[in-house]
Amino acid sequence: MVALLLITDEYLLRQYELLQKQLLRLEEAEGGFERFTRSYETFGVQRQPDNSLFFQEWAPGAEALFLTGDFNGWDKFSHPYTKKPFGKWELILPPKHDKSPAVDHNTKLKVVVHTKDGGRLYRNSPWAKYVNREEESVIYNWVHWDPPSPIHPRPKKPTSLRIYEAHVGIASPEGKVASYTNFTTNMLPRIKDLGYNCIQLMAIMEHAYYASFGYQITSFFAASSRYGTPEELKQMIDVAHSMGIVVLLDVVHSHASKNTEDGLNRFDGSDSCFFHSPPRGEHSLWDSRLFNYSSWEVMRFLLSNLRWWMEEYCFDGFRFDGVTSMLYHHHGIGSGFSGDYSEYFGLQVDEESLVYLMLANHILHTLYPDCITVAEDVSGMPALCRGVEEGGLGFDYRLAMAIPDKWIQILKELKDEDWDMGNIVHTLTNRRYGEKCIAYAESHDQALVGDKSLAFWLMDKEMYTNMSSLIAMTPVIDRGIQLHKMIRLLTHGLGGEGYLNFIGNEFGHPEWLDFPREGNNQSYHYARRQFNLLDTDHLRYSQLYAFDRDMNRTEDKYGWLAAPPAFISAKHEGDKVIVFDRANVLFIFNFHPSKSFQDYRVAVEVPGKHGFCQIKFLDSDEALYGGHGRLDHNTEFFTEAQPFNGRPNSIKVFLLLLLTHQRSSFVEQQQS
């Protein structure tokens, strides 16, 4: 063990040394990362004080570059770039006679790339701030976008992170691509009402293929035009900020689309440029290109990309997609992770991308102290969420990806009476101390077609016929509604230092998510969220919504996500009971399919006193939440000081659970 720890410390020290070396190189070559990460102010197209336009591209494999577009009648040769050192090309367009810029706002442009083998390619600038396509076209065009930009103040970083994972395009009951404006008007008030203080926006970086869910990026600096204009996205973020909600961007730096006409692939005619040459530069499962993180200009491009979204749109941080793929040469393909340190420290680790992630986190947290970064990593890389000065990668949180997998496995494979309380608790608490996790029962991964949401696993087809409160509750709906609430509350209270929910799942959305594609006749039927179900008073979806809202509001009041890990006093297999306390809040869950209990003795961590305690509940069996309302909320709970498992001053709590054939969960706050 001592030898293993020494090896680990040695490896982390090496990681930190690699970061320091890269920072020193940036200082020597570029004057530091402050200037380096503002390269979006010099690449692409920039308007100068005299209204002249400065164009710059990096195309090391090109023979010549020209600019064409609406401004010159699409003349292919009238405006050549000048070749500069290090594969860079520059062009200056003086202003018109009326002193206005030579290229008008909202007009089309293309870079004409002449390759060394005599080819001619029409490309969008990799630094394009806006791209769109015409109605019948499949190709996205570079659009010169240059309106005035307002400044957006950011709210403070939340101590307890409650994330609403959302996709702008599906945020409407209508069968179409919804807009930024719709999200601002109709979604932001709901998210605020639900008690979420953070939105994680998916599929914002421009992607030509809608059904890729935003994971095949073609233009990294462009906000997707299918939802509206950049100004409408800025307004959406500004309104969220005015509500005290921070906004994270789902950033995809792990790979890029193979598109050549409107993507980065073969931008200069070569098979590398921004990427490693094949086979290293191709992801076999994702059919996409992999960045060369050791390239100076790729590093400039990606780090400036992060800075651009923070500065231009005032995002508050990022959820980094595909971190596991970045960290290892095998990209996680065919590799299981048991937690053994040999899996994380060795030749299989891609040090180039590892140092890039350290550099990204170091720069973001230095420039923006309240910036939030979340890693999507299934491997459990040690020190992923420790500071770079400790040899860690510097993320604030990692996604606890094992938790939703566990819930799906239980619902697919086990009878109710076979649920293993110890195994559930282990999964929810199995994380490295001092490395924060975002817990979730389900995310977009579980909502996609081919899988089922928790609500669908629990209630299936009866969601279409038996969700009305005007008819008697069936056993399937009864069980499904109660477990849906309990699973989410247990995950919320025990699973991490942050919590995440995917849009619509808070009310048990009745259908999966499937984007229009050839296989479904380009249908939008499943690429929407049916919020209209909440406006139908007699449907039980509103009861699940109310529970999710009050669960978040209760956490906001007591702050268990920001508290130290829970003290678990009971995980009783026979009774199917889980008891724990966190942030002076007592959680009691009865998962037994048929038993209720009287005078049930549990322990809590805080010292107790003889006498009575008034208890405030979040009771999943309340009628408001679709339960039976059998627990009297005026009941006084006796407490007495008793030793418990060798722990002095534990509290004996006498509970009256009147829930027969009915699961229940509730949270209590001790009021001595």
Side-chain angles (χ1 to χ4, degrees):
M1 176 60 78
V2 173
L4 182 59
L5 288 173
L6 288 173
I7 293 170
T8 305
D9 288 345
E10 204 172 285
Y11 196 90
L12 295 177
L13 179 61
R14 171 176 161 72
Q15 289 180 182
Y16 183 63
E17 288 173 349
L18 290 172
L19 172 68
Q20 291 296 99
K21 188 181 294 184
Q22 196 72 293
L23 288 170
L24 182 61
R25 290 177 65 206
L26 282 173
E27 190 68 41
E28 292 173 345
E30 302 278 347
F33 61 73
E34 160 62 26
R35 286 178 55 191
F36 187 67
T37 56
R38 284 190 179 274
S39 294
Y40 54 80
E41 296 178 344
T42 54
F43 280 79
V45 55
Q46 309 295 331
R47 180 156 51 92
Q48 305 301 304
D50 65 350
N51 273 349
S52 62
L53 297 176
F54 174 73
F55 293 80
Q56 183 175 217
E57 300 295 345
W58 177 63
E63 186 67 26
L65 258 64
F66 297 86
L67 184 71
T68 187
D70 291 332
F71 79 101
N72 68 358
W74 294 94
D75 189 312
K76 304 178 186 65
F77 306 109
S78 61
H79 291 82
Y81 285 72
T82 302
K83 189 172 185 178
K84 297 292 181 179
F86 308 110
K88 295 174 186 175
W89 300 80
E90 294 179 0
L91 167 65
I92 297 175
L93 293 185
K96 298 176 186 176
H97 293 301
D98 62 0
K99 304 300 182 185
S100 64
V103 181
D104 294 333
H105 167 66
N106 205 20
T107 59
K108 295 178 189 173
L109 294 168
K110 284 285 186 183
V111 178
V112 184
V113 180
H114 285 244
T115 65
K116 290 180 178 177
D117 60 6
R120 185 187 300 162
L121 310 172
Y122 294 87
R123 297 290 190 244
N124 296 333
S125 170
W127 302 80
K129 296 166 185 168
Y130 187 55
V131 298
N132 66 18
R133 62 185 175 89
E134 295 172 0
E135 192 75 27
E136 303 301 321
S137 175
V138 297
I139 303 299
Y140 279 73
N141 294 299
W142 176 17
V143 176
H144 179 53
W145 196 263
D146 190 24
S149 297
I151 298 173
H152 306 261
R154 293 184 176 94
K156 290 185 177 179
K157 182 178 181 177
T159 52
S160 291
L161 202 62
R162 301 182 298 275
I163 302 174
Y164 195 84
E165 184 184 40
H167 184 291
V168 170
I170 67 170
S172 162
E174 299 178 63
K176 64 178 186 180
V177 179
S179 67
Y180 295 124
T181 302
N182 166 75
F183 200 94
T184 302
T185 305
N186 298 317
M187 284 306 305
L188 289 181
R190 288 191 192 274
I191 294 168
K192 175 68 174 176
D193 177 62
L194 281 164
Y196 291 95
N197 55 21
C198 176
I199 300 169
Q200 180 179 296
L201 285 178
M202 318 295 288
I204 293 296
M205 301 167 77
E206 191 60 273
H207 49 293
Y209 185 43
Y210 190 43
S212 76
F213 201 63
Y215 289 128
Q216 296 280 339
I217 306 299
T218 46
S219 294
F220 282 74
F221 286 82
S224 182
S225 61
R226 55 174 55 85
Y227 317 127
T229 67
E231 270 48 55
E232 288 165 340
L233 172 58
K234 290 174 186 177
Q235 183 186 26
M236 187 182 98
I237 295 171
D238 200 31
V239 173
H241 284 169
S242 73
M243 296 178 172
I245 300 171
V246 298
V247 187
L248 307 183
L249 174 69
D250 186 60
V251 69
V252 186
H253 281 184
S254 49
H255 64 131
S257 169
K258 273 189 173 180
N259 283 19
T260 54
E261 294 292 320
D262 50 11
L264 295 182
N265 193 20
R266 302 184 68 86
F267 173 70
D268 65 354
S270 72
D271 65 358
S272 52
C273 196
F274 286 91
F275 312 108
H276 288 290
S277 296
R280 186 180 177 186
E282 293 183 339
H283 197 292
S284 59
L285 291 185
W286 295 344
D287 193 31
S288 54
R289 296 305 308 270
L290 298 175
F291 287 104
N292 178 2
Y293 301 102
S294 66
S295 164
W296 193 260
E297 294 304 322
V298 172
M299 189 166 59
R300 181 197 304 277
F301 180 78
L302 293 176
L303 292 173
S304 296
N305 187 235
L306 297 173
R307 190 85 188 270
W308 163 259
W309 291 107
M310 293 292 288
E311 290 286 339
E312 184 70 11
Y313 289 93
C314 284
F315 278 96
D316 302 284
F318 303 96
R319 179 256 200 193
F320 281 74
D321 176 70
V323 168
T324 304
S325 176
M326 297 174 72
L327 289 176
Y328 308 97
H329 291 295
H330 54 62
H331 307 300
I333 300 172
S335 299
F337 293 93
S338 65
D340 190 284
Y341 281 106
S342 64
E343 297 164 351
Y344 309 114
F345 304 112
L347 296 178
Q348 70 272 30
V349 176
D350 188 335
E351 286 190 342
E352 293 168 1
S353 55
L354 183 143
V355 171
Y356 166 71
L357 290 171
M358 294 177 74
L359 194 60
N361 275 307
H362 172 70
I363 290 171
L364 285 170
H365 289 102
T366 301
L367 295 173
Y368 315 99
D370 282 344
C371 177
I372 301 166
T373 59
V374 181
E376 187 212 25
D377 170 43
V378 72
S379 76
M381 166 70 80
L384 186 80
C385 298
R386 299 300 299 179
V388 296
E389 67 280 358
E390 298 175 350
L393 272 70
F395 285 99
D396 295 292
Y397 300 88
R398 64 154 36 98
L399 292 174
M401 301 178 73
I403 295 175
D405 290 345
K406 174 55 64 176
W407 287 124
I408 296 296
Q409 180 209 355
I410 288 170
L411 295 178
K412 282 172 67 174
E413 299 176 6
L414 298 179
K415 297 177 183 177
D416 290 1
E417 55 268 28
D418 294 333
W419 285 30
D420 186 329
M421 300 296 103
N423 186 249
I424 291 171
V425 168
H426 172 75
T427 302
L428 288 167
T429 57
N430 184 25
R431 56 188 184 273
R432 288 187 177 85
Y433 184 80
E435 295 198 49
K436 295 179 182 177
C437 287
I438 303 292
Y440 57 105
E442 52 185 339
S443 69
H444 70 273
D445 287 326
Q446 288 72 41
L448 292 170
V449 67
D451 204 340
K452 294 181 183 180
S453 66
L454 287 181
F456 231 124
W457 280 112
L458 288 162
M459 294 175 277
D460 207 69
K461 61 185 179 182
E462 287 205 24
M463 299 187 76
Y464 296 112
T465 57
N466 297 328
M467 284 294 279
S468 173
S469 58
L470 301 178
I471 63 175
M473 187 184 282
T474 66
V476 169
I477 296 296
D478 194 359
R479 170 183 178 269
I481 284 179
Q482 311 321 320
L483 283 177
H484 191 271
K485 293 177 291 187
M486 293 176 66
I487 286 170
R488 296 169 82 78
L489 179 57
L490 181 58
T491 302
H492 203 305
L494 195 58
E497 290 70 36
Y499 178 76
L500 178 143
N501 164 70
F502 179 64
I503 179 171
N505 285 356
E506 69 275 6
F507 65 87
H509 196 278
E511 289 170 342
W512 54 78
L513 181 63
D514 188 17
F515 289 89
R517 54 188 172 85
E518 211 171 284
N520 63 14
N521 296 317
Q522 303 299 330
S523 171
Y524 284 87
H525 181 74
Y526 295 111
R528 61 196 179 109
R529 299 279 92 176
Q530 298 181 57
F531 289 99
N532 55 299
L533 296 173
L534 293 174
D535 302 324
T536 307
D537 292 338
H538 66 82
L539 293 181
R540 299 186 185 279
Y541 296 105
S542 61
Q543 297 168 341
L544 293 176
Y545 177 99
F547 182 78
D548 197 88
R549 177 196 63 207
D550 291 350
M551 176 175 68
N552 283 320
R553 290 181 179 180
T554 306
E555 195 288 325
D556 188 54
K557 182 176 182 180
Y558 298 120
W560 59 72
L561 287 172
F567 167 65
I568 301 153
S569 59
K571 40 188 175 180
H572 198 291
E573 299 301 338
D575 295 343
K576 302 299 180 192
V577 168
I578 296 173
V579 183
F580 62 90
D581 61 86
R582 188 176 183 190
N584 293 326
V585 178
L586 178 63
F587 294 76
I588 305 175
F589 294 83
N590 173 18
F591 280 98
H592 203 287
S594 58
K595 277 188 182 180
S596 298
F597 304 97
Q598 268 189 311
D599 295 347
Y600 204 86
R601 181 183 177 183
V602 302
V604 295
E605 194 163 17
V606 295
K609 297 179 180 178
H610 292 283
F612 294 95
C613 265
Q614 291 293 333
I615 310 294
K616 295 183 179 180
F617 294 90
L618 175 64
D619 176 12
S620 70
D621 192 48
E622 211 172 322
L624 171 66
Y625 309 135
H628 298 276
R630 298 176 184 177
L631 191 63
D632 181 1
H633 284 203
N634 294 317
T635 302
E636 289 185 323
F637 288 70
F638 293 94
T639 69
E640 62 175 272
Q642 290 280 340
F644 184 83
N645 285 352
R647 296 170 56 84
N649 296 324
S650 292
I651 296 178
K652 181 179 177 185
V653 182
F654 294 92
L655 304 181
L656 183 63
L657 300 186
L658 303 177
L659 312 175
T660 307
H661 305 294
Q662 174 69 49
R663 296 163 181 78
S664 70
S665 65
F666 50 86
V667 185
E668 308 167 350
Q669 171 66 25
Q670 289 293 128
Q671 304 284 333
S672 295

